Structure formats: C-alpha cells, structure tokens
Amino acid sequence: MIGQLKRKLIGVGIGGISIAAVYFYWQHVTGERDAYQAEAEHQRNRAEILIEHQQLQRQRIETLSNALAKRERTLNTIDDDIGASTGALEPLGEQDAKAGDWLDSDLPDGVVDWVRELQRSGNATGVRQSGGSGASNQ
C-alpha cells in the first residue's frame, strides 16, 4: 500500500510538475507573442510616419521644381528682352558713330532713367514735354 501510495504521489507530482511546466511554457509563448505583436504595431506606426514624411518631401520637391521652372522661364524671357534691346541698340551705334560714342560713355543716372522710361512707355517721338526747359518759341 505504501508502494502504491508512493507511485500515486510520484504520478501526481510528475503530473503537477508537467502542468506547471506547460503553464509556464504557455506564459512564455504568450509573452513572446505579445512582444512580437507590440513590435509589429510599432513598426507599422513607424512605417506610416515615414510614408507621410516621404509624401511631404515629394510635395516639397514638386513645389521647388515648379518654382525653378517658372524662374527659368522668367530668366529666359529677361534674357530674350536683353538680347532684343542689345540687338536694337547695336545698329544704332554702328550707323551713327557719335551715338555709339554716347552709348559707350558714362551717362548720368537721370539720362539712363529717362531712356528706360522711354523704352517702357513706348513713346515713339522720344520727346518729353516739360515747361521752362531749353529754347523758347519766339
């Protein structure tokens, strides 16, 4: 009877230890699973942030590209205008040596501004009407 009782106790002890081992193993596996799930969620959130940042960078690049393209078009227009103005002034200097010397000389700011105003206004006569300057009508 004692032998039978010992066998039962050993069987119950082994069964209890086995149940405890299974329980702790299950806790370990569940803990690892939860840790992996938390890490996966963290990585998903990080990926979303990186994707949003990438989209923002693409928008900035597109905005900068558009601004640079507009700037390039503006600079080309200015370059064309300068080329046309230079082309229009070169024959004047070649045809009239005195005018060429005058164009090559240092001019007072007032004269330069006056010439620029004439170019902007499109005044074909090139004469500014002002009272009290120059010759009188007699």
Side-chain angles (χ1 to χ4, degrees), residues 26 29 36 43 46 61 75 77-78 81-82 84 104 121 129:
W26 179 254
V29 169
Y36 287 136
Q43 292 299 332
R46 186 170 180 221
I61 289 169
L75 288 174
T77 301
I78 290 170
D81 290 346
I82 289 172
D104 291 337
S121 67
Q129 299 294 332

Side-chain angles (χ1 to χ4, degrees), residues 29-96:
V29 169
T30 303
E32 283 187 355
R33 183 198 65 206
D34 292 345
Y36 287 136
Q37 286 176 341
E39 179 64 22
E41 183 65 26
H42 173 73
Q43 292 299 332
R44 267 189 236 103
N45 291 339
R46 186 170 180 221
E48 288 175 7
I49 290 169
L50 290 173
I51 289 170
E52 289 174 11
H53 179 71
Q54 186 180 31
Q55 290 172 344
L56 179 63
Q57 290 297 335
R58 283 183 184 152
Q59 289 173 347
R60 286 180 179 169
I61 289 169
E62 184 177 340
T63 300
L64 287 173
S65 295
N66 291 339
L68 287 174
K70 182 179 179 184
R71 178 180 177 263
E72 184 69 25
R73 288 190 302 272
T74 302
L75 288 174
N76 286 337
T77 301
I78 290 170
D79 187 45
D80 292 345
D81 290 346
I82 289 172
S85 296
T86 303
L89 290 176
E90 284 177 357
L92 178 63
E94 292 171 2
Q95 293 172 1
D96 187 355

